[in-house]
Amino acid sequence: MPMTSVNPATGEEIFRAAGHRPQQVEAILADAANAAPAWRDLGVEARCKLLEQAAKQLDSKRDELAELMSLEMGKLIGEAKAEIEKCAKACRYYAEHAPGFLADEQIGTDASRSLVTYQPLGTILAVMPWNFPFWQAIRCAAPAMAAGNTVLLKHASNVPQCAVAIERVFEEAGFPDGVFRTLLVGSDAVDALVADDRVHAVSLTGSDAAGRAIGKAAGAHLKKSVLELGGSDAFIVLADADLEEAVAHGVKSRFQNAGQSCIAAKRFILEDTIADEFLERFAAVAAELVPGDPRAADTTLAPMARADLRDELHAQVTDAIEKGAKVVTGCHPLDGPGAFYAASVLRGIAPGMRAWEEELFGPVALAITVSDADAAIEVANSSPLGLGGTVFTRDKERGESLARRLACGSAFVNGMVKSDPRLPFGGVKQSGYGRELSRHGLMEFVNAKTLWIA
Ligand code: NAP
């Protein structure tokens, strides 16, 4: 299958390559499998030294890689640079902490010595999305490789150049052949990869549809899986919130990366006494975002990554408007080339609308008004998704107690949800299962093996 990248800001095709043919896929699988025993036996300290080298590579190639991301999927250049820096930080985090995370744990039992030792599973298949093309791949690969696994990356089909560039980062950092390989294949190749005996586990970051397909394949072949799927995160603003702060965090969370973030604030759940004021301020800031070339420093609204994704978003918005939702601002594609969509706010979202049930993966904020904090939690938890959630209130204690009641993987008080290598990341309900980042992420792809010595 040919791989193409289209500049989302112009609609022009900028790259085309033949995908890997079956014989090439076979050779790459064999490489990863052959590399696994030596990589495991190299020891964690030596593996971590190489991760430090990968961090240096990322730092030194930051501008070049950011430019590529910006061209290939439309990310604002400033956000793209920050993404590469965050990848380097994650590599350094695991380089520093993996030896401690993987240390044997002595446990007192009836044995003369009993302990838990952490061993790699083998080869991990990473099926990744285009929205944070470097971050998603590296946050999965860095801990998996630190633990002694080899990694096969099947990246999203619209970012083949990023996929190849990530492989090159590890190659130039001095990783042994086969430890990290990119497969240029479409989603139709994934079932066979999961089934292959040389693949021991699979990690997907992507949509719920992909999650169902990969979860099914992993189950059929009894392989470990981690699924990081979509979110429709609640952003609750209570009557006592600092509205200026809430608006600033809300706008950033909803519109960065053209709204294409799993943990973007998607449903703004507002206590009725401040709803109008919040929305007025929020819409005013959103309306000031400037669409344009994502590589230009003064552009503040990126294009969406693909025209078909923009059209699907507009179909969700149109459905809501037809069923009674009200446009506060935007809610239409922007004229001209490229996959731009106006920074948008829709209020009056209700059950029965697609926007109530589904994730809106683009620059559209949904507003729902509620009478009090209990009603806010009820609306927040009514979603089938459970990735992140935010509560804004000046009463931090109350904020914490409400955050504890949110049915999600990450709940933030007075701050937008963001990922951090030190904290676990993942969802509940249809947002998937398993965790990435922190010690929890590293532990997903190890065998916690008991040793018992009489
Ligand atoms: P996607 O269409 O599910 O694609 C993600 C990856 O899965 C791609 O590599 C894709 O390959 C592959 N894929 C798609 N359908 C598949 C199938 N049936 N079987 C096997 N593989 C399949 O998702 P996306 O549109 O790229 O990304 C957006 C979604 O990812 C959103 O729902 C977002 O919330 C979610 N996401 C979640 C997180 C998280 O951490 N929870 C982070 C970022 C994004 P092709 O490109 O070749 O189709």
Side-chain angles (χ1 to χ4, degrees):
M1 183 179 138
M3 300 274 150
T4 54
S5 35
V6 172
N7 180 344
T10 62
E12 287 161 4
E13 184 176 308
I14 51 172
F15 176 80
R16 176 175 283 261
H20 286 139
R21 293 187 305 278
Q23 304 91 306
Q24 291 170 298
V25 171
E26 170 54 35
I28 292 169
L29 269 165
D31 268 5
N34 292 338
W39 182 242
R40 177 195 63 205
D41 296 342
L42 187 62
V44 65
E45 302 288 348
R47 293 194 298 264
C48 287
K49 285 211 169 72
L50 285 165
L51 268 183
E52 276 169 25
Q53 292 305 317
K56 283 189 188 149
Q57 281 294 320
L58 287 160
D59 283 340
S60 70
K61 296 171 83 164
R62 183 195 70 162
D63 292 356
E64 176 197 328
L65 298 176
E67 167 102 1
L68 177 60
M69 233 190 296
S70 202
L71 270 174
E72 196 163 49
M73 57 67 67
K75 195 179 295 280
L76 296 182
I77 193 72
E79 292 179 10
K81 287 178 186 172
E83 180 169 335
I84 300 296
E85 286 164 11
K86 192 168 170 184
C87 290
K89 191 171 154 190
C91 288
R92 289 200 173 93
Y93 171 80
Y94 282 108
E96 183 183 348
H97 295 283
F101 293 159
L102 292 166
D104 288 349
E105 273 177 58
Q106 308 293 330
I107 312 272
T109 67
D110 55 334
S112 67
R113 201 159 99 83
S114 49
L115 57 124
V116 185
T117 185
Y118 297 101
Q119 298 183 338
L121 296 183
T123 297
I124 313 301
L125 174 65
V127 182
M128 293 292 135
W130 45 265
N131 61 337
F132 292 91
F134 276 77
W135 172 243
Q136 307 291 5
I138 284 183
R139 82 172 180 186
C140 170
M145 292 193 296
N149 299 289
T150 60
V151 171
L152 287 168
L153 170 65
K154 178 264 173 277
H155 220 322
S157 294
N158 56 324
V159 289
Q161 297 184 91
C162 289
V164 170
I166 297 167
E167 185 178 57
R168 205 170 305 129
V169 164
F170 290 114
E171 194 182 305
E172 289 173 1
F175 279 61
D177 284 351
V179 171
F180 182 98
R181 292 300 313 267
T182 283
L183 286 162
L184 291 178
V185 292
S187 57
D188 54 350
V190 171
D191 261 9
L193 290 169
V194 174
D196 195 288
D197 284 344
R198 291 163 292 187
V199 168
H200 300 94
V202 55
S203 180
L204 163 74
T205 298
S207 59
D208 68 323
R212 283 173 219 283
I214 289 180
K216 191 172 167 196
H221 297 284
L222 300 177
K223 305 265 171 93
K224 169 78 190 261
S225 59
V226 166
L227 301 180
E228 294 285 359
L229 310 178
S232 190
D233 288 8
F235 188 99
I236 297 173
V237 186
L238 297 181
D240 70 344
D242 178 333
L243 287 194
E244 201 174 315
E245 277 286 296
V247 166
H249 282 263
V251 168
K252 181 163 186 210
S253 177
R254 178 63 287 204
F255 298 113
Q256 76 172 7
N257 210 32
Q260 303 163 120
S261 164
C262 53
I263 45 164
K266 294 185 182 126
R267 295 175 299 144
F268 290 80
I269 304 176
L270 312 169
E271 213 168 340
D272 50 12
T273 50
I274 49 88
D276 288 346
E277 188 184 348
F278 177 87
L279 282 178
E280 201 175 305
R281 292 198 200 185
F282 185 95
V285 180
E288 280 169 12
L289 296 174
V290 182
D293 181 349
R295 289 172 301 154
D298 52 357
T299 300
T300 48
L301 182 67
M304 291 183 63
R306 298 195 315 249
D308 63 303
L309 298 168
R310 190 260 312 264
D311 297 345
E312 176 62 13
L313 176 74
H314 191 53
Q316 290 169 306
V317 167
T318 306
D319 169 80
I321 294 169
E322 283 170 3
K323 291 175 180 159
K326 298 279 174 275
V327 176
V328 179
T329 186
C331 295
H332 54 82
L334 293 178
D335 289 339
F340 288 93
Y341 199 82
S344 306
V345 183
L346 254 185
R347 73 184 300 180
I349 300 302
M353 298 175 185
R354 289 183 63 190
W356 183 272
E357 323 288 343
E358 300 172 7
E359 176 182 30
L360 264 65
F361 210 59
V364 180
L366 305 174
I368 302 158
T369 304
V370 291
S371 55
D372 59 23
D374 285 338
I377 296 291
E378 199 179 317
V379 170
N381 290 348
S382 68
S383 170
L385 302 171
L387 197 54
T390 304
V391 181
F392 265 84
T393 168
R394 282 197 168 86
D395 181 344
K396 283 192 194 170
E397 230 171 87
R398 184 171 178 232
E400 181 177 332
S401 110
L402 291 167
R404 285 176 185 274
R405 288 168 60 193
L406 284 172
C408 61
S410 302
F412 280 50
V413 178
N414 295 337
M416 60 181 266
V417 178
K418 51 185 195 279
S419 59
D420 180 319
R422 297 166 293 189
L423 294 168
F425 186 92
V428 296
K429 301 196 279 183
Q430 291 176 27
S431 290
Y433 51 76
R435 288 293 175 267
E436 290 197 288
L437 300 176
S438 76
R439 180 174 193 268
H440 295 270
L442 183 137
M443 287 299 157
E444 292 288 358
F445 295 117
V446 298
N447 170 16
K449 182 167 161 184
T450 293
L451 283 181
W452 189 99
I453 298 140

